[in-house]
Amino acid sequence: MATGEAPSEIATTETSEIVKTVQEAWDKVEDKYAVSSLGVVALIALVGSTGLVSAIDKLPLIPGIFEVVGIGYTG
């Protein structure tokens, strides 16, 4: 704001800098297939772990037991 630029101009500049940095980093990668595969596997693991946590949360006693264990460990 002190430079006289509008907020949308600042956001556009920051976004283009981020995209440029990501493109430069991607160009430096030699094995793009392996990096892409790891990204897909990480995404699948994230979705799977989210499903696992929500399934455990629906069980009647398990969340309460985990809470007591957590409190005990913290104490």
Side-chain angles (χ1 to χ4, degrees):
M1 304 297 162
T3 60
E5 294 182 22
S8 62
E9 292 174 0
I10 294 171
T12 305
T13 304
E14 290 176 359
T15 304
S16 64
E17 289 176 7
I18 292 170
V19 170
K20 186 177 181 180
T21 305
V22 169
Q23 285 176 344
E24 289 173 358
W26 183 250
D27 289 338
K28 291 179 184 177
V29 173
E30 292 181 18
D31 195 3
K32 290 179 175 49
Y33 178 75
V35 173
S36 300
S37 298
L38 286 173
V40 169
V41 168
L43 182 65
I44 291 170
L46 180 66
V47 171
S49 64
T50 303
L52 180 67
V53 168
S54 67
I56 288 174
D57 193 39
K58 291 178 184 177
L59 296 174
L61 293 175
I62 301 296
I65 293 171
F66 282 160
E67 185 175 352
V68 169
V69 168
I71 291 170
Y73 183 77
T74 302

